[in-house]
Amino acid sequence: MGDVVNLVVVGLGLVGRRHADAIKRLKGVRLTGIVEPNLTSEDIYDEYGVPCFASLADLFALSKPDGVIVATPTPSHVELGLEIISNGCAALIEKPLAVSSVEAENLVKFAMEKQVPLLVGHHRRHNPLIKKAAEIISDGEIGNVRAVHANCWFYKPDHYFDQAPWRKHKGAGPISVNLVHDIDLIRYLCGEISTVQAQSAPSQRGFENEDVASVLLSFENGAVGTVTVSDSIVAPWSWELTSGEYPIYPKTSQSCYKIGGSHGSLSVPDLTIWKHGTERDWWSPITATSIPREASDPLDNQIIHFAKVVLGEEAPLVTGLEGLKTLRVVEAIGEAAQSNSLIKINDFAELHNPDDVTSVHAVTA
């Protein structure tokens, strides 16, 4: 990557700061501004040495960056994304892409019509261990995927909710807040999800939302899956505590995903393949092989990838359409938990999003 790509970060909360800090230390990219109405220009310049803008309008009135990273609360994603794309600027928007798939579809279609890159910050796909897992599966190492189980159990302390009371309200439970990450990886590794069923239980802390849910998935390729998620279970089995991706979480030696195939099984993130010997036979010895992989910060990898997309050197790994598909599944899970019914993803998409986004993507990709 010979050229330097100029990037701007919108929103300087915890995630926004991680993006800004990464851009400052990475080669090939340059932080040229920050959009943050709640901080002074002096504060931003003292910390990052770049100008601070109160709005995107102020930014685009004075400069034209190559790409903009949006790390603001989800309700503002679509409005900001539309403004960025209107200015012909590539956008990387944190997940989830929008509050609803209806809003997300409008943004995705607009980006496709303008032929401006729109990426979604599902950064876990940029983790080398996930790339290796995808390679193992696509190379047929475990045969055809037949089943997957994901465990997403962790305990959020009371002060987590007290610091941001919106986390106690309906729609802010672990289905919508946390499961979007895991559903995206399940789609990436195991294929498109065709139907969902779900059960949830009310928060034992007395909040409006659920604090535990169980999900049954079926896939277009014939596989099935189960997922359980809770923010009120003390356990070592979650991506946060098993992947070592973010040092603020204490790492355990466990795995949170188990992917079963016709010739073997794979656990993630420890990347252990389980196989019988010459015969697939439950009476035959079964062996475990740990697969080596590189280690690097997926957030850094995502920014480098974003820059390469801007330069036309790579196709987006997580397009706006990918973010939309993941959001549709999570929404369907929430609806299934409320209605205790089986939800077909295609029917759900047609009901809530009557226009065909896929056909637009096929034309402009």
Side-chain angles (χ1 to χ4, degrees):
M1 189 170 69
D3 298 325
V4 175
V5 175
N6 295 318
L7 300 176
V8 167
V9 174
V10 183
L12 208 61
L14 292 175
V15 177
R17 286 186 181 278
R18 290 185 68 197
H19 284 299
D21 292 342
I23 295 168
K24 290 288 285 184
R25 69 172 177 267
L26 291 171
K27 295 180 180 179
V29 291
R30 181 189 297 120
L31 184 67
T32 58
I34 289 172
V35 178
E36 177 51 77
N38 298 316
L39 294 173
T40 67
S41 297
E42 291 78 11
D43 290 337
I44 295 297
Y45 197 84
D46 288 345
E47 187 172 0
Y48 289 102
V50 298
C52 177
F53 303 91
S55 67
L56 282 174
D58 291 345
L59 166 71
F60 287 117
L62 295 174
S63 66
K64 176 67 182 298
D66 299 310
V68 176
I69 298 174
V70 176
T72 58
T74 305
S76 63
H77 284 181
V78 170
E79 180 181 357
L80 295 172
L82 291 171
E83 187 171 357
I84 293 164
I85 293 165
S86 294
N87 282 274
C89 187
L92 168 60
I93 298 179
E94 270 300 331
K95 70 281 177 191
L97 181 57
V99 171
S100 72
S101 58
V102 174
E103 292 181 329
E105 182 181 359
N106 291 333
L107 177 58
V108 170
K109 292 173 73 172
F110 184 65
M112 291 175 178
E113 291 164 0
K114 295 294 184 182
Q115 299 191 36
V116 174
L118 170 62
L119 285 68
V120 184
H122 284 290
H123 68 275
R124 292 181 187 178
R125 293 201 195 188
H126 295 272
N127 193 312
L129 69 88
I130 290 299
K131 290 189 174 184
K132 177 57 72 172
E135 180 183 311
I136 290 168
I137 294 169
S138 65
D139 286 348
E141 285 293 318
I142 64 171
N144 296 325
V145 173
R146 303 295 295 129
V148 58
H149 175 69
N151 245 33
C152 319
W153 295 355
F154 36 78
Y155 195 92
K156 295 178 180 176
D158 290 343
H159 64 76
Y160 171 88
F161 301 96
D162 294 335
Q163 290 171 351
W166 62 267
R167 293 168 174 162
K168 303 178 182 182
H169 298 318
K170 188 175 180 179
I175 290 177
S176 57
V177 171
N178 300 104
L179 205 56
V180 65
H181 305 281
D182 302 285
I183 291 298
D184 187 71
L185 283 189
I186 289 170
R187 285 187 53 247
Y188 182 54
L189 295 174
C190 301
E192 292 299 341
I193 296 167
S194 55
T195 69
V196 301
Q197 295 171 274
Q199 295 283 335
S200 64
S203 166
Q204 290 192 344
R205 307 187 213 210
F207 301 158
E208 295 176 1
N209 50 42
E210 80 285 348
D211 69 1
V212 63
S214 180
V215 184
L216 180 63
L217 309 170
S218 65
F219 294 79
E220 292 179 2
N221 59 19
V224 296
T226 53
V227 184
T228 56
V229 61
S230 176
D231 58 15
S232 296
I233 291 178
V234 175
W237 306 295
S238 66
W239 177 264
E240 288 80 3
L241 269 64
T242 61
S243 67
E245 185 177 273
Y246 194 12
I248 65 171
Y249 298 105
K251 188 178 186 305
T252 70
S253 60
Q254 304 295 305
S255 279
C256 58
Y257 304 148
K258 292 181 174 61
I259 302 170
S262 55
H263 286 72
S265 290
L266 174 68
S267 54
V268 178
D270 70 351
L271 290 186
T272 299
I273 298 178
W274 293 85
K275 283 188 173 183
H276 290 295
T278 55
E279 295 291 331
R280 289 178 288 165
D281 182 343
W282 66 352
W283 285 299
S284 298
I286 190 165
T287 59
T289 304
S290 296
I291 307 300
R293 79 278 186 176
E294 298 177 358
S296 56
D297 189 327
L299 205 70
D300 290 2
N301 298 340
Q302 180 180 250
I303 290 172
I304 294 169
H305 170 70
F306 184 37
K308 290 182 178 181
V309 170
V310 168
L311 294 173
E313 297 176 358
E314 290 184 0
L317 177 63
V318 191
T319 61
L321 182 58
E322 282 294 291
L324 171 60
K325 287 181 177 181
T326 293
L327 184 57
R328 281 176 174 165
V329 175
V330 173
E331 280 188 338
I333 291 170
E335 184 167 314
Q338 292 292 319
S339 63
N340 292 325
S341 60
L342 182 145
I343 305 292
K344 294 182 179 180
I345 301 301
N346 286 340
D347 291 349
F348 179 85
E350 291 174 4
L351 176 65
H352 293 268
N353 310 276
D355 295 324
D356 183 4
V357 180
T358 307
S359 63
V360 179
H361 183 261
V363 173
T364 60

